[in-house]
Amino acid sequence: MTVYAQTARFDTGRALTEDELFRLAPSIFATTAHESRSERFKPIPTIEVLRGLAKEGFLPVGAKQSRSRDVSKRDFTKHLIRLRRMDDGRRYQVGDTVCEILLKNANDGTSAYDLMAGLFRIRCLNSLVAQTSTIDSVKVRHSGDVTSKVIEGTYRVLGEAEKTLEAPVEWSQLQLSPPERQAFAEAAHVLRFADAEGEINTPIQPEKLLLPRRYDDANKSDLWMTFNVVQENVIRGGLRGIARDANNRPRRVSTRAVNGIDQDVKLNKALWVLAERMAELRKAA
């Protein structure tokens, strides 16, 4: 179950059907709140929002749902959907970046309705959450006049989302020195591996985050490519290292992919802010 779905590809990509959405994330179809919620909690049926966005040309290309230990919450819990315009008439190629909308919601009290701007780099399937200088995301609490707030918030994000496409153009022109790339990797390393006390206990070194996963990304040191390589390594996992067990014997370890919705979004946003600050420093130098 992953939001980086095959349906999000550009060579064979297509919109998900409602049957597919139901199999991936049944809580999308909840029209009532979980029984644990009070009368003040106003459910926001995600499927109704999706149908409304479809009329504006935005269709779902990926979806996933959080797991819950409470079986009764399975049909109400947190979910994340990727939406993209499928009829914009544009022609894309490998390496291009496309604007998307990311929608998060839950009707069990674990999440507000949250609409975010997103970017998708063609081929490498490493969708990222983007923050712009004017808007982070629009959150709508499950109380009060929910419907009008959702509609207003949706159009607000849609109006701002494509501004994030300026970043790939600007950042690709900013060449980073080896120490700057190392600093970026070290900051990302802390974001990914530090515990609540800031302690890091992993054999994976920051340099591992700078290793490209594909030939086209090799030997490039601009900020945009550095950001993409680090972001993909942080989120998708699979980095290997050698650790020591209790008896000081070596053992091979591999990092896990980030599958939790909240952790995925949190890390993506933090990496985006890190790249923004790096860009500001480079421009000011």
Side-chain angles (χ1 to χ4, degrees), residues 18 21 26-32 42-56 58 60 79 81 83 103 105 107 113 146-148 150-151 154-155:
E18 290 195 4
L21 285 172
S27 60
I28 288 174
F29 292 82
T31 56
T32 60
K42 303 296 183 182
I44 303 176
T46 303
I47 187 58
E48 293 183 9
V49 176
L50 292 179
R51 288 167 180 165
L53 289 174
K55 295 179 181 179
E56 301 298 324
F58 281 87
H79 45 267
I81 304 102
L83 301 109
L103 189 161
N105 190 26
N107 283 313
Y113 171 90
V146 170
T147 303
S148 63
V150 167
I151 294 174
T154 298
Y155 279 98

Side-chain angles (χ1 to χ4, degrees), residues 80-98:
L80 181 70
I81 304 102
R82 290 176 53 183
L83 301 109
R84 180 192 308 150
R85 286 193 184 278
M86 305 291 283
D87 59 350
D88 58 7
R90 299 179 184 177
R91 293 184 178 181
Y92 300 100
Q93 60 185 1
V94 172
D96 285 350
T97 305
V98 181

